[in-house]
Amino acid sequence: TAIATTIAGLRSKVGGDRILAVLEPRSNTMKLGVMKDQLPGSLAGADGVYCYTQGLGWDARTTLSPLGTKVRCEEDLEALVSALSAEARTGDHVLVMSNGGFGGIHAKLLERLAQPLQIAGRRAPIRLAGHPPDPSVRPAMTAEAAIPAWASQ
């Protein structure tokens, strides 16, 4: 699937660094669960998986349960951002996958991830590939935020 290909592509770029995959099953096909049985295998290459479950016609927790403890499902976007922000650490790569705006999650994550760094008097140069999205490319299929090594010093 495109999800597995995207994760594999990022993995080839970042090697053993942690990948935290964030998924919004937004298309009608995804909301109806047509491809749900392929999701655990498609997401297996990520070290952590965060799924936004609002409006789904299927149970994401049950479907993604083969991924074990590395999966977190949330129906509330703020809860998802909070959980991801609490888990993210220096050197992680956050991969956001959606075919839409995903409730402004890119800006919310950047703001949340930068907060502890601003307390320390520094602002993180977090990379967010594809944000704002290139208008010639399908919207926000992939985005990456990397937390710099100096952030934890």
Side-chain angles (χ1 to χ4, degrees):
T1 67
I3 293 170
T5 301
T6 301
I7 293 171
L10 181 56
R11 177 63 67 205
S12 71
K13 178 181 173 186
V14 304
D17 292 355
R18 283 191 340 154
I19 295 174
L20 304 179
V22 186
L23 175 66
E24 178 190 30
R26 183 180 174 121
S27 70
N28 286 333
T29 302
M30 288 292 269
K31 283 186 175 183
L32 293 172
V34 174
M35 305 293 285
K36 71 179 183 177
D37 293 336
Q38 293 181 326
L39 284 176
S42 296
L43 293 162
D47 300 291
V49 175
Y50 296 80
C51 183
Y52 184 50
T53 63
Q54 186 179 52
L56 295 182
W58 48 279
D59 182 2
R61 284 174 185 79
T62 300
T63 298
L64 297 175
S65 65
L67 296 172
T69 59
K70 72 178 185 176
V71 69
R72 174 89 180 244
C73 296
E74 294 288 349
E75 190 168 332
D76 178 73
L77 186 58
E78 289 304 319
L80 185 79
V81 169
S82 292
L84 178 55
S85 299
E87 175 68 20
R89 61 183 189 236
T90 300
D92 285 354
H93 300 270
V94 177
L95 176 66
V96 177
M97 296 176 283
S98 175
N99 68 350
F102 203 157
I105 195 170
H106 302 93
K108 290 176 183 185
L109 279 172
L110 286 173
E111 179 181 336
R112 190 73 58 89
L113 290 172
Q115 282 176 358
L117 305 177
Q118 290 173 347
I119 292 170
R122 296 182 173 185
R123 183 170 170 83
I126 297 174
R127 298 184 316 270
L128 190 60
H131 182 76
D134 180 341
S136 66
V137 178
R138 192 171 176 188
M141 188 57 193
T142 63
E144 174 191 352
I147 301 168
W150 60 260
S152 61
Q153 297 174 352

